[in-house]
Amino acid sequence: MIEVKGLVKTYGNKRAVDGITFTVKRGEILGFLGPNGAGKSTTMKMITGFIRPDAGTAIVGGIDVAVDPVGVKRQLGYLPESAPAYPEMTVEEFLRFIAEIRGFRATGEKRARVEHVLRLTHLTSVRTQTIETLSKGYKQRVGFAQALIHNPPALVLDEPTDGLDPNQKNEVRTLIRSMAAEKAVILSTHILEEVEAICTRVIIIASGRIVADETPSALRARQPGARLDEIFRTLTT
Amino acid sequence: MSQIRPLFKREFLGYFRSPVAYVFLIAFLLISVSLAFSRYGNFFKAGTASLETYFLFFPWLFMFIVPAVGMRLWSEEKRSGTVELLFTLPVTTLEAVLGKFLAGWAFLTLAVLLSFPMALTVAFLGDPDWGIIASTYLGAILMAGAYLGVCALTSALTKNQVISFVLSLAACAMLVFLGLSSFTTTLESFLPVGIADVVSNFSFVTHFDAFTKGIIDPKNVAFFLSLIGFTLFLNVVALER
Ligand SMILES: Nc1ncnc2c1ncn2[C@@H]1O[C@H](COP(=O)(O)OP(=O)(O)O)[C@@H](O)[C@H]1O
Ligand SMILES: [Mg+2]
Protein backbone atom coordinates (compact mmCIF):
# COMPACT_ATOMS: atom_id res chain seq x y z
CA MET A 1 0.00 0.00 0.00
CA ILE A 2 2.81 2.41 0.91
CA GLU A 3 6.06 2.00 -0.94
CA VAL A 4 8.99 4.22 0.00
CA LYS A 5 11.93 4.21 -2.38
CA GLY A 6 15.29 5.73 -1.59
CA LEU A 7 14.06 8.97 0.00
CA VAL A 8 16.74 11.61 0.53
CA LYS A 9 16.39 15.08 2.03
CA THR A 10 19.21 17.49 2.77
CA TYR A 11 18.90 20.70 4.78
CA GLY A 12 21.90 22.94 4.19
CA ASN A 13 24.80 20.56 4.57
CA LYS A 14 22.88 18.18 6.80
CA ARG A 15 21.36 14.94 5.48
CA ALA A 16 18.10 14.72 7.41
CA VAL A 17 17.01 11.60 5.51
CA ASP A 18 19.60 9.49 3.77
CA GLY A 19 18.15 6.85 1.46
CA ILE A 20 15.16 5.31 3.23
CA THR A 21 13.39 2.40 1.56
CA PHE A 22 10.56 0.20 2.88
CA THR A 23 7.04 -0.99 2.10
CA VAL A 24 3.95 -1.27 4.27
CA LYS A 25 1.11 -3.61 3.34
CA ARG A 26 -2.51 -3.43 4.40
CA GLY A 27 -2.98 -4.88 7.86
CA GLU A 28 0.50 -3.87 8.91
CA ILE A 29 1.29 -1.36 11.62
CA LEU A 30 4.79 -0.11 11.10
CA GLY A 31 6.52 1.47 14.07
CA PHE A 32 8.94 4.12 12.95
CA LEU A 33 11.42 4.40 15.75
CA GLY A 34 14.41 6.62 16.30
CA PRO A 35 15.94 9.24 18.55
CA ASN A 36 14.93 12.89 18.18
CA GLY A 37 16.26 14.39 14.97
CA ALA A 38 16.69 10.98 13.31
CA GLY A 39 14.56 12.02 10.35
CA LYS A 40 11.19 10.44 11.16
CA SER A 41 9.07 13.54 10.61
CA THR A 42 10.99 14.54 7.50
CA THR A 43 10.37 11.09 5.98
CA MET A 44 6.67 11.33 6.76
CA LYS A 45 6.44 14.80 5.25
CA MET A 46 7.88 13.43 2.03
CA ILE A 47 5.49 10.46 1.96
CA THR A 48 2.50 12.76 2.46
CA GLY A 49 3.65 15.19 -0.22
CA PHE A 50 4.22 18.15 2.07
CA ILE A 51 7.88 18.49 1.14
CA ARG A 52 9.60 17.36 -2.01
CA PRO A 53 12.43 14.83 -1.64
CA ASP A 54 15.85 15.56 -3.13
CA ALA A 55 15.89 11.99 -4.40
CA GLY A 56 13.62 8.96 -4.29
CA THR A 57 9.86 8.89 -4.07
CA ALA A 58 6.89 7.33 -2.30
CA ILE A 59 4.06 5.39 -3.93
CA VAL A 60 0.75 5.16 -2.11
CA GLY A 61 -1.96 2.85 -3.48
CA GLY A 62 -0.12 2.73 -6.79
CA ILE A 63 0.14 6.52 -7.12
CA ASP A 64 3.53 8.20 -7.20
CA VAL A 65 3.58 11.27 -4.96
CA ALA A 66 6.01 13.02 -7.31
CA VAL A 67 3.59 12.55 -10.24
CA ASP A 68 0.19 13.07 -8.61
CA PRO A 69 0.55 14.53 -5.10
CA VAL A 70 -3.16 15.32 -4.79
CA GLY A 71 -3.99 11.71 -5.71
CA VAL A 72 -1.77 10.48 -2.87
CA LYS A 73 -3.23 13.02 -0.44
CA ARG A 74 -6.71 11.70 -1.20
CA GLN A 75 -5.73 8.21 -0.04
CA LEU A 76 -3.85 9.24 3.06
CA GLY A 77 -4.88 10.22 6.52
CA TYR A 78 -2.08 12.21 8.10
CA LEU A 79 -1.61 13.34 11.65
CA PRO A 80 1.29 15.81 11.65
CA GLU A 81 3.48 16.17 14.72
CA SER A 82 1.72 18.29 17.39
CA ALA A 83 -1.60 17.99 15.50
CA PRO A 84 -2.02 21.45 13.98
CA ALA A 85 -5.60 22.74 13.59
CA TYR A 86 -7.23 26.15 13.14
CA PRO A 87 -7.45 27.36 16.76
CA GLU A 88 -10.38 29.76 16.36
CA MET A 89 -12.69 27.10 14.89
CA THR A 90 -14.86 24.83 16.99
CA VAL A 91 -14.20 21.10 16.77
CA GLU A 92 -17.37 20.66 14.73
CA GLU A 93 -16.64 23.52 12.34
CA PHE A 94 -13.13 22.23 11.78
CA LEU A 95 -14.22 18.67 11.06
CA ARG A 96 -16.96 19.89 8.73
CA PHE A 97 -14.36 21.87 6.83
CA ILE A 98 -12.13 18.80 6.53
CA ALA A 99 -15.12 16.71 5.40
CA GLU A 100 -15.92 19.24 2.66
CA ILE A 101 -12.33 19.32 1.46
CA ARG A 102 -12.34 15.52 1.47
CA GLY A 103 -15.26 15.63 -0.94
CA PHE A 104 -18.27 15.05 1.33
CA ARG A 105 -20.36 17.98 0.16
CA ALA A 106 -23.92 16.69 0.63
CA THR A 107 -25.24 17.83 4.02
CA GLY A 108 -26.34 14.37 5.17
CA GLU A 109 -23.15 12.64 4.18
CA LYS A 110 -21.02 15.38 5.71
CA ARG A 111 -22.89 15.19 8.99
CA ALA A 112 -22.66 11.41 9.07
CA ARG A 113 -18.87 11.55 8.59
CA VAL A 114 -18.37 14.16 11.27
CA GLU A 115 -20.64 12.35 13.75
CA HIS A 116 -18.83 9.08 13.11
CA VAL A 117 -15.35 10.43 13.86
CA LEU A 118 -16.60 12.49 16.80
CA ARG A 119 -17.83 9.24 18.39
CA LEU A 120 -14.80 7.23 17.31
CA THR A 121 -12.35 9.66 18.93
CA HIS A 122 -14.57 10.54 21.94
CA LEU A 123 -14.92 14.20 21.06
CA THR A 124 -18.69 14.51 21.36
CA SER A 125 -18.52 16.36 24.68
CA VAL A 126 -16.29 19.14 23.31
CA ARG A 127 -17.80 19.43 19.84
CA THR A 128 -18.85 23.08 20.23
CA GLN A 129 -15.65 24.19 21.96
CA THR A 130 -13.06 26.15 20.01
CA ILE A 131 -9.88 24.18 19.40
CA GLU A 132 -7.67 26.73 21.19
CA THR A 133 -9.49 25.99 24.46
CA LEU A 134 -8.84 22.23 24.30
CA SER A 135 -6.29 20.37 26.38
CA LYS A 136 -3.38 18.67 24.65
CA GLY A 137 -5.08 15.28 24.71
CA TYR A 138 -8.25 16.57 23.09
CA LYS A 139 -6.30 18.51 20.48
CA GLN A 140 -4.52 15.30 19.58
CA ARG A 141 -7.90 13.61 19.16
CA VAL A 142 -9.04 16.36 16.82
CA GLY A 143 -5.94 15.66 14.72
CA PHE A 144 -6.88 12.00 14.75
CA ALA A 145 -10.50 12.66 13.83
CA GLN A 146 -9.34 14.83 10.95
CA ALA A 147 -7.07 12.05 9.64
CA LEU A 148 -9.81 9.41 9.83
CA ILE A 149 -12.77 11.31 8.43
CA HIS A 150 -12.52 9.82 4.92
CA ASN A 151 -11.69 6.31 6.16
CA PRO A 152 -8.38 6.31 4.27
CA PRO A 153 -6.65 3.07 3.23
CA ALA A 154 -3.32 4.42 4.50
CA LEU A 155 -2.54 6.26 7.73
CA VAL A 156 0.59 8.22 8.58
CA LEU A 157 0.73 9.23 12.24
CA ASP A 158 3.58 11.36 13.57
CA GLU A 159 3.96 10.71 17.31
CA PRO A 160 0.24 10.08 17.86
CA THR A 161 0.62 9.49 21.59
CA ASP A 162 3.07 12.29 22.32
CA GLY A 163 2.06 14.34 25.36
CA LEU A 164 -0.86 12.12 26.34
CA ASP A 165 -1.39 10.64 29.77
CA PRO A 166 -1.15 6.83 30.16
CA ASN A 167 -4.90 6.32 29.85
CA GLN A 168 -5.13 8.43 26.73
CA LYS A 169 -2.12 6.63 25.25
CA ASN A 170 -3.86 3.35 25.81
CA GLU A 171 -7.03 4.63 24.23
CA VAL A 172 -5.19 5.79 21.11
CA ARG A 173 -3.39 2.48 20.81
CA THR A 174 -6.67 0.60 21.05
CA LEU A 175 -8.13 2.82 18.37
CA ILE A 176 -5.18 2.26 16.02
CA ARG A 177 -5.27 -1.50 16.58
CA SER A 178 -9.01 -1.63 15.93
CA MET A 179 -8.62 0.03 12.54
CA ALA A 180 -5.46 -1.64 11.41
CA ALA A 181 -6.94 -4.76 9.82
CA GLU A 182 -7.84 -3.09 6.54
CA LYS A 183 -5.30 -0.25 6.58
CA ALA A 184 -1.61 0.31 6.14
CA VAL A 185 -0.39 2.30 9.14
CA ILE A 186 2.92 4.04 9.78
CA LEU A 187 3.37 5.58 13.19
CA SER A 188 6.44 7.26 14.56
CA THR A 189 7.36 7.18 18.19
CA HIS A 190 10.28 7.15 20.51
CA ILE A 191 8.49 5.04 23.08
CA LEU A 192 9.72 1.48 22.89
CA GLU A 193 6.82 -0.17 24.70
CA GLU A 194 4.47 1.35 22.18
CA VAL A 195 6.12 -0.64 19.45
CA GLU A 196 5.75 -3.87 21.35
CA ALA A 197 2.19 -3.03 22.25
CA ILE A 198 0.78 -2.42 18.77
CA CYS A 199 3.27 -2.68 15.93
CA THR A 200 3.54 -5.66 13.63
CA ARG A 201 6.87 -4.42 12.36
CA VAL A 202 9.51 -1.99 13.46
CA ILE A 203 11.98 0.16 11.59
CA ILE A 204 14.67 1.90 13.57
CA ILE A 205 16.36 4.88 12.00
CA ALA A 206 19.35 6.87 13.15
CA SER A 207 20.84 9.89 11.39
CA GLY A 208 18.50 9.42 8.45
CA ARG A 209 19.32 5.74 7.82
CA ILE A 210 17.54 2.48 8.56
CA VAL A 211 19.50 0.46 11.10
CA ALA A 212 16.89 -2.25 11.72
CA ASP A 213 13.77 -3.48 9.92
CA GLU A 214 12.10 -6.47 11.56
CA THR A 215 9.30 -7.72 13.83
CA PRO A 216 9.32 -6.56 17.45
CA SER A 217 10.11 -10.11 18.58
CA ALA A 218 13.06 -10.34 16.20
CA LEU A 219 14.29 -7.05 17.60
CA ARG A 220 14.07 -8.46 21.10
CA ALA A 221 15.88 -11.61 20.02
CA ARG A 222 18.93 -9.58 18.97
CA GLN A 223 20.22 -9.52 22.52
CA PRO A 224 18.36 -12.13 24.54
CA GLY A 225 17.75 -10.96 28.06
CA ALA A 226 18.59 -7.33 27.33
CA ARG A 227 16.01 -4.59 27.79
CA LEU A 228 14.53 -3.03 24.66
CA ASP A 229 16.03 0.37 25.36
CA GLU A 230 19.49 -1.20 25.60
CA ILE A 231 19.05 -2.75 22.17
CA PHE A 232 17.77 0.60 20.91
CA ARG A 233 20.81 2.38 22.31
CA THR A 234 23.22 -0.10 20.75
CA LEU A 235 21.58 0.37 17.36
CA THR A 236 21.31 4.16 17.36
CA THR A 237 24.62 5.26 18.79
CA MET B 1 -11.18 23.94 -8.71
CA SER B 2 -14.24 22.85 -6.72
CA GLN B 3 -11.90 22.76 -3.73
CA ILE B 4 -11.79 26.56 -3.73
CA ARG B 5 -15.25 26.81 -2.20
CA PRO B 6 -14.58 25.20 1.19
CA LEU B 7 -11.23 27.03 1.41
CA PHE B 8 -12.91 30.33 0.64
CA LYS B 9 -15.66 29.68 3.14
CA ARG B 10 -13.29 28.79 5.96
CA GLU B 11 -11.07 31.78 5.34
CA PHE B 12 -13.87 34.30 4.91
CA LEU B 13 -15.81 33.16 7.98
CA GLY B 14 -12.47 33.04 9.78
CA TYR B 15 -12.33 36.81 9.71
CA PHE B 16 -15.49 36.91 11.79
CA ARG B 17 -14.45 34.23 14.26
CA SER B 18 -12.34 36.78 16.07
CA PRO B 19 -13.12 40.39 16.98
CA VAL B 20 -10.40 41.51 14.55
CA ALA B 21 -12.83 41.68 11.63
CA TYR B 22 -15.25 43.96 13.45
CA VAL B 23 -12.48 46.18 14.76
CA PHE B 24 -11.10 46.37 11.24
CA LEU B 25 -14.40 47.24 9.58
CA ILE B 26 -15.23 49.92 12.13
CA ALA B 27 -11.74 51.41 12.01
CA PHE B 28 -11.84 51.47 8.22
CA LEU B 29 -15.14 53.32 8.16
CA LEU B 30 -14.16 55.77 10.90
CA ILE B 31 -10.84 56.63 9.29
CA SER B 32 -12.17 56.91 5.75
CA VAL B 33 -15.12 59.07 6.78
CA SER B 34 -13.09 61.32 9.06
CA LEU B 35 -10.46 61.81 6.36
CA ALA B 36 -13.21 62.92 4.00
CA PHE B 37 -14.55 65.42 6.55
CA SER B 38 -11.07 66.61 7.54
CA ARG B 39 -9.65 69.84 6.22
CA TYR B 40 -7.71 67.78 3.68
CA GLY B 41 -10.88 66.20 2.40
CA ASN B 42 -13.16 69.23 2.39
CA PHE B 43 -16.18 67.02 1.98
CA PHE B 44 -18.52 69.95 2.68
CA LYS B 45 -16.54 72.82 1.26
CA ALA B 46 -16.23 71.03 -2.03
CA GLY B 47 -19.81 72.14 -2.49
CA THR B 48 -20.62 69.33 -4.89
CA ALA B 49 -22.72 66.28 -4.32
CA SER B 50 -20.05 63.70 -5.03
CA LEU B 51 -17.92 61.17 -3.25
CA GLU B 52 -14.74 62.34 -4.88
CA THR B 53 -13.24 63.70 -1.69
CA TYR B 54 -14.22 60.52 0.14
CA PHE B 55 -12.47 58.24 -2.34
CA LEU B 56 -9.52 60.56 -2.76
CA PHE B 57 -7.80 58.94 0.21
CA PHE B 58 -8.45 55.34 -0.70
CA PRO B 59 -5.07 54.63 -2.31
CA TRP B 60 -3.41 55.94 0.89
CA LEU B 61 -5.76 54.29 3.28
CA PHE B 62 -5.43 50.93 1.49
CA MET B 63 -1.69 51.21 1.83
CA PHE B 64 -2.09 50.59 5.58
CA ILE B 65 -5.30 48.70 5.74
CA VAL B 66 -4.77 45.98 3.15
CA PRO B 67 -1.50 44.78 4.72
CA ALA B 68 -3.45 44.43 7.97
CA VAL B 69 -5.82 42.02 6.23
CA GLY B 70 -3.18 40.35 4.06
CA MET B 71 -0.42 39.79 6.60
CA ARG B 72 -2.07 36.81 8.24
CA LEU B 73 -3.04 34.99 5.04
CA TRP B 74 0.03 32.73 4.93
CA SER B 75 2.18 33.88 7.83
CA GLU B 76 -0.37 32.65 10.32
CA GLU B 77 -0.64 29.23 8.65
CA LYS B 78 3.12 28.90 8.70
CA ARG B 79 3.49 30.01 12.29
CA SER B 80 0.80 27.71 13.69
CA GLY B 81 1.81 24.76 11.49
CA THR B 82 -1.61 24.47 9.85
CA VAL B 83 0.11 24.95 6.50
CA GLU B 84 1.21 21.31 6.85
CA LEU B 85 -2.38 20.28 7.38
CA LEU B 86 -3.60 22.38 4.46
CA PHE B 87 -1.06 21.06 2.00
CA THR B 88 -1.58 17.43 2.93
CA LEU B 89 -5.28 17.77 2.17
CA PRO B 90 -6.23 17.07 -1.45
CA VAL B 91 -5.82 20.64 -2.71
CA THR B 92 -3.39 22.13 -5.19
CA THR B 93 -1.30 25.17 -4.32
CA LEU B 94 -3.23 27.22 -6.86
CA GLU B 95 -6.56 26.28 -5.29
CA ALA B 96 -5.30 27.24 -1.85
CA VAL B 97 -3.89 30.54 -3.12
CA LEU B 98 -7.13 31.40 -4.92
CA GLY B 99 -9.38 30.37 -2.04
CA LYS B 100 -7.49 32.53 0.41
CA PHE B 101 -7.08 35.48 -1.92
CA LEU B 102 -10.73 35.53 -2.92
CA ALA B 103 -11.80 35.38 0.73
CA GLY B 104 -9.58 38.34 1.61
CA TRP B 105 -10.80 40.23 -1.42
CA ALA B 106 -14.42 39.56 -0.53
CA PHE B 107 -13.73 40.88 2.96
CA LEU B 108 -12.16 44.06 1.60
CA THR B 109 -15.04 44.45 -0.84
CA LEU B 110 -17.40 44.25 2.11
CA ALA B 111 -15.42 46.99 3.86
CA VAL B 112 -15.58 49.22 0.79
CA LEU B 113 -19.29 48.61 0.27
CA LEU B 114 -20.06 49.42 3.90
CA SER B 115 -19.27 53.01 2.97
CA PHE B 116 -22.44 53.05 0.90
CA PRO B 117 -24.26 55.17 3.53
CA MET B 118 -21.83 57.91 2.50
CA ALA B 119 -23.24 57.68 -1.01
CA LEU B 120 -26.76 57.84 0.38
CA THR B 121 -25.83 60.94 2.38
CA VAL B 122 -24.54 62.56 -0.77
CA ALA B 123 -27.71 61.57 -2.60
CA PHE B 124 -29.76 63.12 0.19
CA LEU B 125 -27.80 66.37 0.06
CA GLY B 126 -27.75 66.73 -3.67
CA ASP B 127 -27.99 64.94 -6.93
CA PRO B 128 -24.82 62.91 -7.42
CA ASP B 129 -23.77 61.17 -10.61
CA TRP B 130 -24.47 57.53 -9.83
CA GLY B 131 -22.36 56.47 -12.79
CA ILE B 132 -19.31 58.04 -11.22
CA ILE B 133 -20.10 56.51 -7.86
CA ALA B 134 -20.44 53.05 -9.43
CA SER B 135 -17.21 53.34 -11.41
CA THR B 136 -15.38 54.58 -8.32
CA TYR B 137 -16.58 51.60 -6.31
CA LEU B 138 -15.43 49.31 -9.10
CA GLY B 139 -12.02 51.01 -9.14
CA ALA B 140 -11.71 50.81 -5.36
CA ILE B 141 -12.52 47.10 -5.33
CA LEU B 142 -10.08 46.36 -8.15
CA MET B 143 -7.39 48.39 -6.42
CA ALA B 144 -8.04 46.55 -3.14
CA GLY B 145 -7.53 43.28 -5.00
CA ALA B 146 -4.21 44.42 -6.44
CA TYR B 147 -3.00 45.56 -3.02
CA LEU B 148 -4.11 42.26 -1.53
CA GLY B 149 -2.26 40.31 -4.22
CA VAL B 150 0.94 42.06 -3.19
CA CYS B 151 0.27 41.48 0.52
CA ALA B 152 -0.63 37.80 0.05
CA LEU B 153 2.69 37.33 -1.71
CA THR B 154 4.76 39.02 1.01
CA SER B 155 2.81 37.05 3.61
CA ALA B 156 3.90 33.82 1.93
CA LEU B 157 7.54 34.79 2.39
CA THR B 158 7.63 34.76 6.19
CA LYS B 159 5.98 33.19 9.21
CA ASN B 160 6.33 36.40 11.19
CA GLN B 161 3.22 38.57 10.90
CA VAL B 162 5.04 41.75 11.84
CA ILE B 163 7.68 41.26 9.16
CA SER B 164 4.90 40.37 6.77
CA PHE B 165 3.06 43.59 7.62
CA VAL B 166 6.15 45.77 7.19
CA LEU B 167 7.09 44.11 3.90
CA SER B 168 3.56 44.55 2.60
CA LEU B 169 3.44 48.16 3.70
CA ALA B 170 6.74 48.89 1.96
CA ALA B 171 5.61 47.21 -1.24
CA CYS B 172 2.26 49.01 -1.21
CA ALA B 173 3.90 52.37 -0.45
CA MET B 174 6.13 51.91 -3.48
CA LEU B 175 3.10 51.32 -5.65
CA VAL B 176 1.49 54.53 -4.40
CA PHE B 177 4.52 56.79 -4.41
CA LEU B 178 5.44 55.89 -7.95
CA GLY B 179 2.59 58.06 -9.10
CA LEU B 180 3.39 61.25 -7.18
CA SER B 181 4.53 64.01 -9.48
CA SER B 182 7.46 64.94 -7.20
CA PHE B 183 8.57 61.32 -7.21
CA THR B 184 8.25 61.10 -10.97
CA THR B 185 10.28 64.26 -11.37
CA THR B 186 13.00 62.80 -9.19
CA LEU B 187 12.97 59.68 -11.30
CA GLU B 188 13.24 61.72 -14.47
CA SER B 189 16.30 63.45 -13.10
CA PHE B 190 18.33 60.28 -13.28
CA LEU B 191 16.35 57.98 -15.54
CA PRO B 192 15.49 58.49 -19.18
CA VAL B 193 12.01 60.01 -19.47
CA GLY B 194 10.73 56.91 -21.24
CA ILE B 195 11.69 54.61 -18.37
CA ALA B 196 10.46 57.05 -15.74
CA ASP B 197 7.13 57.06 -17.55
CA VAL B 198 6.92 53.29 -17.51
CA VAL B 199 7.80 53.20 -13.81
CA SER B 200 5.27 55.83 -12.80
CA ASN B 201 2.76 53.96 -14.90
CA PHE B 202 2.83 51.29 -12.22
CA SER B 203 1.33 53.60 -9.66
CA PHE B 204 -2.04 52.75 -8.19
CA VAL B 205 -2.96 56.43 -7.93
CA THR B 206 -2.71 57.01 -11.67
CA HIS B 207 -4.86 54.02 -12.46
CA PHE B 208 -7.41 54.68 -9.75
CA ASP B 209 -7.91 58.35 -10.63
CA ALA B 210 -9.67 57.63 -13.88
CA PHE B 211 -12.29 55.55 -12.08
CA THR B 212 -13.10 58.43 -9.73
CA LYS B 213 -13.85 60.56 -12.77
CA GLY B 214 -16.31 58.03 -14.08
CA ILE B 215 -14.02 56.57 -16.70
CA ILE B 216 -13.82 52.79 -16.85
CA ASP B 217 -10.81 52.43 -19.09
CA PRO B 218 -10.13 48.79 -20.03
CA LYS B 219 -6.42 49.62 -19.69
CA ASN B 220 -6.86 50.44 -16.00
CA VAL B 221 -9.04 47.41 -15.38
CA ALA B 222 -6.45 45.27 -17.14
CA PHE B 223 -3.68 46.85 -15.06
CA PHE B 224 -5.23 45.86 -11.74
CA LEU B 225 -6.35 42.44 -12.96
CA SER B 226 -2.97 41.58 -14.44
CA LEU B 227 -1.22 42.73 -11.28
CA ILE B 228 -3.51 40.40 -9.32
CA GLY B 229 -2.75 37.56 -11.73
CA PHE B 230 0.97 38.16 -11.56
CA THR B 231 1.18 38.38 -7.76
CA LEU B 232 -0.94 35.24 -7.37
CA PHE B 233 1.34 33.42 -9.77
CA LEU B 234 4.36 34.49 -7.70
CA ASN B 235 2.43 33.47 -4.59
CA VAL B 236 2.11 29.91 -5.93
CA VAL B 237 5.81 29.90 -6.85
CA ALA B 238 6.80 31.17 -3.39
CA LEU B 239 4.77 28.44 -1.66
CA GLU B 240 6.01 25.61 -3.88
CA ARG B 241 9.61 26.61 -3.46
N1 LIG C 1 12.94 22.79 7.89
C1 LIG C 1 14.15 22.35 8.34
N2 LIG C 1 15.26 23.09 8.14
C2 LIG C 1 16.46 22.66 8.55
N3 LIG C 1 16.67 21.49 9.19
C3 LIG C 1 15.61 20.71 9.41
C4 LIG C 1 14.28 21.09 9.01
N4 LIG C 1 13.43 20.12 9.36
C5 LIG C 1 14.18 19.18 9.98
N5 LIG C 1 15.47 19.51 10.02
C6 LIG C 1 16.57 18.70 10.59
O1 LIG C 1 16.49 17.42 10.04
C7 LIG C 1 16.75 16.44 11.04
C8 LIG C 1 15.61 15.45 11.12
O2 LIG C 1 14.49 16.10 11.70
P1 LIG C 1 13.11 15.35 11.93
O3 LIG C 1 12.72 14.64 10.69
O4 LIG C 1 12.15 16.34 12.46
O5 LIG C 1 13.48 14.29 13.07
P2 LIG C 1 12.54 13.43 14.01
O6 LIG C 1 11.14 13.61 13.57
O7 LIG C 1 13.04 12.03 13.82
O8 LIG C 1 12.78 13.89 15.41
C9 LIG C 1 17.02 17.19 12.33
O9 LIG C 1 18.41 17.30 12.51
C10 LIG C 1 16.41 18.54 12.08
O10 LIG C 1 17.11 19.52 12.79
MG1 LIG D 1 9.54 14.39 14.62
Side-chain angles (χ1 to χ4, degrees):
Chain A
M1 186 73 216
I2 305 174
E3 232 182 307
V4 175
K5 292 184 186 166
L7 284 179
V8 174
K9 183 75 195 178
T10 313
Y11 287 114
N13 54 12
K14 187 178 188 314
R15 273 274 157 94
V17 174
D18 193 4
I20 295 228
T21 302
F22 62 83
T23 40
V24 189
K25 293 193 275 293
R26 271 177 197 262
E28 267 191 308
I29 304 179
L30 173 70
F32 212 42
L33 207 62
N36 278 325
K40 305 183 292 292
S41 298
T42 309
T43 305
M44 290 181 154
K45 284 175 193 177
M46 290 190 279
I47 297 171
T48 54
F50 179 60
I51 56 175
R52 248 191 301 260
D54 296 333
T57 192
I59 295 164
V60 180
I63 302 172
D64 188 329
V65 72
V67 178
D68 180 11
V70 171
V72 166
K73 289 166 190 180
R74 257 188 224 114
Q75 306 206 42
L76 277 177
Y78 176 40
L79 173 66
E81 205 169 358
S82 78
Y86 297 104
E88 70 286 349
M89 291 178 110
T90 68
V91 172
E92 241 177 343
E93 283 168 344
F94 177 69
L95 292 176
R96 263 190 237 127
F97 161 68
I98 299 289
E100 280 174 27
I101 287 270
R102 290 288 185 189
F104 307 108
R105 297 288 163 86
T107 322
E109 197 184 21
K110 185 166 70 182
R111 188 179 315 130
R113 287 285 162 170
V114 171
E115 292 306 320
H116 177 67
V117 288
L118 281 174
R119 251 178 287 120
L120 198 64
T121 55
H122 305 287
L123 280 169
T124 320
S125 62
V126 296
R127 59 193 297 160
T128 56
Q129 231 171 295
T130 56
I131 292 170
E132 63 198 343
T133 63
L134 297 179
S135 68
K136 169 91 192 172
Y138 275 101
K139 246 178 224 165
Q140 195 77 1
R141 290 184 205 187
V142 172
F144 237 106
Q146 164 276 122
L148 295 175
I149 209 158
H150 54 304
N151 192 21
L155 271 179
V156 176
L157 311 169
D158 200 350
E159 305 200 6
T161 59
D162 186 48
L164 303 187
D165 69 36
N167 293 339
Q168 293 170 329
K169 279 195 168 97
N170 213 19
E171 207 177 276
V172 166
R173 286 174 197 161
T174 313
L175 180 62
I176 295 173
R177 220 181 293 125
S178 71
M179 296 179 313
E182 76 277 21
K183 291 190 201 304
V185 182
I186 305 179
L187 67 91
S188 78
T189 178
H190 43 236
I191 306 166
L192 291 153
E193 306 82 68
E194 193 146 292
V195 172
E196 281 212 303
I198 52 172
C199 295
T200 56
R201 211 172 108 213
V202 50
I203 284 182
I204 297 180
I205 65 169
S207 312
R209 288 179 194 211
I210 295 182
V211 293
D213 179 354
E214 55 210 14
T215 62
S217 43
L219 183 68
R220 198 172 261 294
R222 278 184 181 232
Q223 287 178 38
R227 297 211 324 267
L228 261 185
D229 55 349
E230 285 167 25
I231 301 172
F232 180 75
R233 204 170 327 121
T234 324
L235 282 168
T236 57
T237 51
Chain B
M1 283 296 138
S2 69
Q3 295 293 62
I4 293 175
R5 216 181 67 196
L7 292 168
F8 173 90
K9 198 170 102 188
R10 193 204 68 73
E11 189 76 28
F12 185 75
L13 295 178
Y15 286 106
F16 299 94
R17 289 203 180 93
S18 72
V20 178
Y22 302 98
V23 172
F24 174 87
L25 290 174
I26 291 167
F28 175 75
L29 284 178
L30 279 181
I31 298 170
S32 62
V33 171
S34 51
L35 276 174
F37 284 106
S38 74
R39 63 198 170 96
Y40 306 107
N42 276 331
F43 185 69
F44 284 129
K45 278 199 215 122
T48 53
S50 82
L51 281 178
E52 211 183 323
T53 59
Y54 177 69
F55 282 113
L56 186 66
F57 297 101
F58 268 40
W60 303 92
L61 190 55
F62 279 10
M63 191 175 105
F64 292 97
I65 230 122
V66 180
V69 172
M71 66 180 183
R72 59 187 281 280
L73 279 180
W74 294 107
S75 305
E76 180 59 20
E77 297 257 0
K78 287 188 168 187
R79 191 194 54 78
S80 67
T82 45
V83 67
E84 187 169 351
L85 178 82
L86 179 61
F87 285 123
T88 48
L89 290 170
V91 300
T92 62
T93 313
L94 179 64
E95 286 166 338
V97 164
L98 284 176
K100 268 179 179 290
F101 171 79
L102 291 174
W105 199 11
F107 181 71
L108 287 169
T109 301
L110 178 69
V112 172
L113 292 182
L114 282 180
S115 69
F116 197 64
M118 279 294 278
L120 294 179
T121 312
V122 170
F124 177 74
L125 294 173
D127 185 21
D129 184 334
W130 286 104
I132 290 187
I133 291 183
S135 78
T136 311
Y137 270 112
L138 175 67
I141 289 165
L142 283 172
M143 183 172 61
Y147 270 115
L148 186 65
V150 173
C151 298
L153 172 60
T154 50
S155 166
L157 300 176
T158 170
K159 63 177 167 193
N160 184 316
Q161 288 207 27
V162 178
I163 295 177
S164 162
F165 180 81
V166 174
L167 277 179
S168 308
L169 187 63
C172 291
M174 282 284 289
L175 289 165
V176 171
F177 287 128
L178 288 177
L180 292 187
S181 55
S182 56
F183 192 82
T184 319
T185 322
T186 319
L187 275 183
E188 275 169 1
S189 69
F190 64 91
L191 284 178
V193 177
I195 294 182
D197 261 6
V198 171
V199 172
S200 67
N201 202 25
F202 263 97
S203 168
F204 281 21
V205 181
T206 329
H207 292 277
F208 179 58
D209 266 355
F211 286 100
T212 64
K213 299 191 169 66
I215 306 159
I216 302 179
D217 186 339
K219 276 211 293 285
N220 293 328
V221 176
F223 168 77
F224 285 128
L225 288 182
S226 45
L227 194 63
I228 291 172
F230 183 61
T231 49
L232 292 185
F233 165 74
L234 290 182
N235 201 331
V236 171
V237 172
L239 288 167
E240 286 191 340
R241 187 171 45 117

